[in-house]
Amino acid sequence: MSLLEKPRIVITYCTQCQWLLRAGWMAQELLSTFGTDLGEVTLVPGTGGVFTISCNDVLVWERKRDGGFPDAAKLKQLVRDVIDPDRDLGHADRKSHKTDPA
């Protein structure tokens, strides 16, 4: 797969809110999990409380719409669902798929 065909992640963060470290941490989490399966992870400075994460132009998280920020496991699941829905994320998947005791 060429670099042009690999998924592109864009994290837009508010500079006024000083969310650069949060955006960088999320980028690191995605790169640690997906590694060379990603074509790029881009951080884009913005203003006005913006915090969005898109994958291949699909909006996977928007702070105002989704109510805050995703935890690392949730973010990885959302990105996985766009780029490779059959991929097993190991512990990140098991944490959110608890069985119903009923």
Side-chain angles (χ1 to χ4, degrees), residues 62-83:
E62 201 277 320
R63 184 189 65 82
K64 291 177 184 175
R65 179 192 74 187
D66 298 313
F69 303 94
D71 63 23
K74 179 66 176 175
L75 176 58
K76 291 172 186 182
Q77 290 168 356
L78 292 168
V79 169
R80 181 269 320 269
D81 291 347
V82 173
I83 66 172

Side-chain angles (χ1 to χ4, degrees), residues 42-89:
T42 304
L43 300 180
V44 178
T47 58
V50 66
F51 196 93
T52 61
I53 302 169
S54 62
C55 178
N56 292 343
D57 297 323
V58 174
L59 184 63
V60 296
W61 191 269
E62 201 277 320
R63 184 189 65 82
K64 291 177 184 175
R65 179 192 74 187
D66 298 313
F69 303 94
D71 63 23
K74 179 66 176 175
L75 176 58
K76 291 172 186 182
Q77 290 168 356
L78 292 168
V79 169
R80 181 269 320 269
D81 291 347
V82 173
I83 66 172
D84 186 4
D86 295 327
R87 182 180 185 143
D88 180 18
L89 292 176

Side-chain angles (χ1 to χ4, degrees), residues 9-42:
I9 306 292
V10 177
I11 302 173
T12 304
Y13 65 94
C14 180
T15 58
Q16 296 167 314
C17 301
Q18 299 188 12
W19 288 334
L20 172 60
L21 289 178
R22 182 185 305 265
W25 171 74
M26 291 186 181
Q28 176 184 332
E29 287 292 320
L30 293 173
L31 287 166
S32 294
T33 297
F34 297 102
T36 58
D37 292 336
L38 295 177
E40 68 180 282
V41 177
T42 304

